[in-house]
Amino acid sequence: MTIAVLFFISSVCASDFVKIYLDNGLEAVKTAIEQKLTSKDFWLEELKDQNVSLGYYKDEVIIVVTNKTKKILKVYSYNKGKVEEKFEQKDVITGLMGDKQKEGDLKTPVGFYELGKKFNPGDPYYGPFAFATTYPNLLDKVQGKTGGGIWIHGYPLDGTRIDEYKTRGCIALLNKNLDSFAAIVKDKKVYVLTEEKDKVYGKKDEIASLLASLFEWKDAWTINDIKTYLNFYDEKEFKRFDKTSFSQFAVMKKNIFSKNEKKDIKFSDISISPYPNLEGKIMYRISFYEDYYTKNYQFKGNKVLYVRLDKEGKMKILAEQ
């Protein structure tokens, strides 16, 4: 976010800022910057030299990509718009094909998750150590998916033959590779992207549209424009973290917006990740830090949106927390 604002400031003559300030005051300068952030063209310029194939991130992250059909796991680093491959294993073992729906179906979920720290699984069936993913995530939960314990782990230490070994939905690496994997992800922010068949790519045009939409959504929220605000939600599929439906959510928001409270809302630390799915939708996960202030309510914390892009390239929110 800071980089984007600095880019905008550097692209506008100082005299333009002075004129805006003299004519309308400091608040008008802030408004001019925020309006620029709702421009897709602005974000396309911001992204032009960045590799966003695995997403857009403020800080350095590690992304673990597994393709269930090809049985390949790769590990990439992302830092300041540059992507570098760090690790690869072929013939990894995953669970059954298809997206995970319920506990015990033995499927590896298709989606985007965070990876926890190394731990001892306490059972030689899972190898020397393991890493837990955050399945089920928010989108999984509001869609009614169940189960858990989806790990990246090693091969069994109890003599089970590799050609007979099956996982219960986890991703298994050769034990000789597990140490290399652990060294790469140690003390890093790590995401796990699991594909079924087709490789999932982030695209600059899509991410620029999402960034512009995100700030349009924020602006509508700030000025209590309920019609524009609700238009960013998928009326049929949206559910909030507490499984509130769109119609229930809309009534609640209309009541809040009708108070016409003055709001100050800031977004920072924005990350946008492509989200694999089996429905052929263009989906992304958006996370950011929100600083929200009104006279009667304040919030500071992380927010997560799961969204799709519609045919016009506009953001439609599927789940929110």
Side-chain angles (χ1 to χ4, degrees):
M1 177 60 187
T2 302
I3 294 174
V5 172
L6 289 175
F7 178 88
F8 169 62
I9 291 172
S10 66
S11 68
V12 179
C13 294
S15 59
D16 292 334
F17 277 112
V18 171
K19 187 175 188 307
I20 293 172
Y21 173 74
L22 291 176
D23 289 347
N24 298 291
L26 186 60
E27 190 67 21
V29 176
K30 175 185 174 183
T31 300
I33 293 174
E34 290 184 340
Q35 287 178 345
K36 195 73 172 178
L37 294 175
T38 66
S39 166
K40 179 180 176 180
D41 288 340
F42 165 77
W43 288 108
L44 283 171
E45 181 67 21
E46 166 71 7
L47 298 172
K48 69 177 182 180
D49 296 323
Q50 299 192 35
N51 183 340
V52 296
S53 59
L54 295 175
Y56 168 86
Y57 306 92
K58 177 182 178 294
D59 298 315
E60 181 181 4
V61 297
I62 297 294
I63 303 171
V64 181
V65 181
T66 303
N67 188 290
K68 293 168 63 179
T69 300
K70 295 179 180 178
K71 303 295 183 186
I72 294 177
L73 180 146
K74 293 185 178 184
V75 180
Y76 299 89
S77 67
Y78 172 100
N79 190 19
K80 298 179 181 178
K82 298 186 183 299
V83 175
E84 181 181 354
E85 184 177 323
K86 295 288 189 178
F87 173 91
E88 176 183 315
Q89 183 185 312
K90 298 179 180 178
D91 298 321
V92 296
I93 297 177
T94 65
L96 300 179
M97 300 299 285
D99 195 7
K100 187 170 186 64
Q101 299 293 329
K102 61 182 180 180
E103 185 173 3
D105 65 12
L106 305 181
K107 295 178 181 179
T108 302
V110 175
F112 196 96
Y113 304 93
E114 296 184 34
L115 193 72
K117 295 185 180 298
K118 182 173 76 171
F119 71 96
N120 184 342
D123 185 337
Y125 185 83
Y126 300 107
F129 53 85
F131 300 82
T133 73
T134 52
Y135 174 87
N137 60 32
L138 169 65
L139 184 62
D140 296 322
K141 291 175 181 176
V142 301
Q143 291 178 342
K145 297 177 182 178
T146 61
I150 303 298
W151 303 343
I152 295 177
H153 60 73
Y155 281 23
L157 302 172
D158 59 4
T160 300
R161 287 175 48 179
I162 291 178
D163 59 353
E164 296 178 348
Y165 182 55
K166 297 180 180 179
T167 79
R168 297 160 184 162
C170 298
I171 300 168
L173 293 173
L174 291 168
N175 292 336
K176 66 179 183 179
N177 289 336
L178 206 53
D179 283 328
S180 297
F181 177 85
I184 294 169
V185 304
K186 183 179 179 182
D187 299 326
K188 297 289 196 306
K189 181 69 173 179
V190 185
Y191 295 115
V192 177
L193 187 156
T194 308
E195 310 160 335
E196 179 83 356
K197 182 180 179 181
D198 297 326
K199 187 167 180 59
V200 176
Y201 290 103
K203 297 179 180 177
K204 289 179 184 177
D205 186 76
E206 294 170 357
I207 291 176
S209 292
L210 287 172
L211 285 162
S213 288
L214 184 67
F215 283 95
E216 287 182 67
W217 174 68
K218 182 187 82 71
D219 286 355
W221 191 3
T222 302
I223 65 174
N224 298 301
D225 180 353
I226 188 65
K227 182 178 179 180
T228 301
Y229 177 83
L230 291 178
N231 193 46
F232 284 103
Y233 290 82
D234 188 308
E235 294 187 21
K236 294 182 179 179
E237 296 189 37
F238 170 77
K239 286 187 180 178
R240 208 173 66 152
F241 66 91
D242 56 3
K243 297 190 177 181
T244 297
S245 67
F246 174 79
S247 59
Q248 295 169 316
F249 176 79
V251 169
M252 177 186 69
K253 285 296 183 180
K254 286 176 182 177
N255 288 335
I256 294 173
F257 278 39
S258 67
K259 298 175 184 178
N260 205 33
E261 289 183 296
K262 183 179 179 181
K263 300 186 183 80
D264 185 20
I265 307 173
K266 299 174 184 177
F267 291 171
S268 58
D269 298 345
I270 300 169
S271 295
I272 302 182
S273 314
Y275 196 91
N277 65 96
L278 301 184
E279 289 77 44
K281 297 176 181 176
I282 301 173
M283 291 175 56
Y284 283 84
R285 174 190 184 270
I286 303 176
S287 64
F288 54 92
Y289 186 84
E290 178 187 310
D291 188 341
Y292 177 97
Y293 177 86
T294 68
K295 182 178 179 181
N296 298 308
Y297 178 73
Q298 294 84 45
F299 171 80
K300 292 184 178 183
N302 295 317
K303 291 274 288 185
V304 179
L305 306 176
Y306 291 87
V307 307
R308 67 173 178 87
L309 279 172
D310 65 14
K311 293 180 180 179
E312 286 72 44
K314 286 293 185 179
M315 177 178 77
K316 293 293 183 179
I317 300 170
L318 303 171
E320 174 183 355
Q321 184 169 34

